[in-house]
Amino acid sequence: MTNTNSKKIPDKMAGNDELILASEQSTMLTQDSATTAKNAWKVLIVDDEEEIHVVTRLALHDFSFGGRHLEFVSAYSGEQARQMIQDNPDTAIILLDVVMETDSAGLDVARFIRQEIGNHFVRIILRTGQPGLAPERRVLKVYDINDYRAKTELTQDRLFSVIYTALSSYRDLIALARSRHQLIGLVNEIEQLSHLAARDLQMPLNEVVGAMRKIGARVNELPPTGLAEEFLDIRENVYAMQSALNKLVALTSVGRFNENREMVDCNSVVSDVLLNLDSEFQASHANLHCETLPTVFACRRQLTQLFQNLIGNAIRYSEGKPPEIYINATTHERNWVFSISDAGIGIAPEHHSGLFNLFHRDSGEGVVKESGVGLAICEKIVRWHGGKIWLESELGKGSTFYFTIPLAE
């Protein structure tokens, strides 16, 4: 068993509340670099006047919300703003000027964000030096603007208050969207459990009851061989029910949605998994190649089970040669995206659908005949953390399982 990775896995502005202009630019630039932390709230400033960018950064250089500072991104035209919001989809707030290259450039940006790319999370705060060109009532209603301010009224304290309120709203919207995603998954899980009761429990139970009635009605007529056959049928169905119940217990024992969460070092989690799967690694001569992984806000026990199930599958379904397993993580939008890849037997695309459903079975080539509850557990853990799980795979070309965990907020 080998581990290769880049790092070894562990064995208000002034007191008079008035705007300060470009004379403070050098101070602002020095402090601005400290605000670009990886876990900062992104604020996109869209204005064709450089001094507005300077003043805004200076006014908010020491702002923090929920233990996170601000990271500023600048655009000087509507066209630049469109590109910036697409490059930074996790932007929390846009401070948007109305009049730039055209009298309605800012409004066109707002329309683009809400209607064309469908981003309804980012909070848009319109700042204008010419309020008459964009009447407030019409703008708020038509363009889904979250706040409307004249530049002259945005002193440091008021700007602080506007940003604080907008970030509160943004945070709550993200949390609500994740909760909705989790609720949809819970409904799906309940539907699968209902199907389980009908298929994996009721059907074998009916068979057992039928066999028992048959034996009771003909107990004096059946020869010993006939009784033995009926007994074997009963035993097979009882075992089937026991197996279904064991898997159901495994799924329900994954944990509770509100189970304690903390900042968890995924490198340490993988180290624990290596110890748990040591015999499998030794027997298969598997090699694990793991890049340095992030620290995420999660339930450590559930995260360990998630990695263990996916790594275990990669070992188990190799193709007669030592498994090569690769683990990586990158950021995308508001999430960490983890990938676990192997060069095993692979899964034909037509069999991907439903693979994470409870007790998914498929007898097709390249699919385990009884995939059990393992991937359903993975889906449940990821969903409870506000993420998604999927795979890319082709028969004979290995598989890559992806899952997302939201960035800590």
Side-chain angles (χ1 to χ4, degrees), residues 8 27 68-69 83 110 115 138 142 146 184 212 282 334:
K8 186 178 180 181
T27 302
R68 297 165 61 181
H69 292 283
Q83 187 60 50
Q115 299 179 12
R138 176 178 174 272
V142 175
N146 304 110
I184 291 172
M212 294 297 293
Q282 297 292 348
R334 293 174 289 271

Side-chain angles (χ1 to χ4, degrees), residues 344-359:
I345 60 176
I347 303 172
E350 59 267 27
H351 300 308
H352 292 185
S353 178
L355 196 61
F356 298 97
N357 288 343
L358 191 60
F359 309 123

Side-chain angles (χ1 to χ4, degrees), residues 1 272-282 307-309 311-312 315-316:
M1 171 177 61
D272 292 345
V273 171
L274 293 180
L275 292 175
N276 296 342
L277 297 178
D278 183 63
S279 59
E280 287 87 343
F281 271 92
Q282 297 292 348
F307 275 98
Q308 186 161 316
N309 285 4
I311 293 173
I315 297 174
R316 194 172 301 117

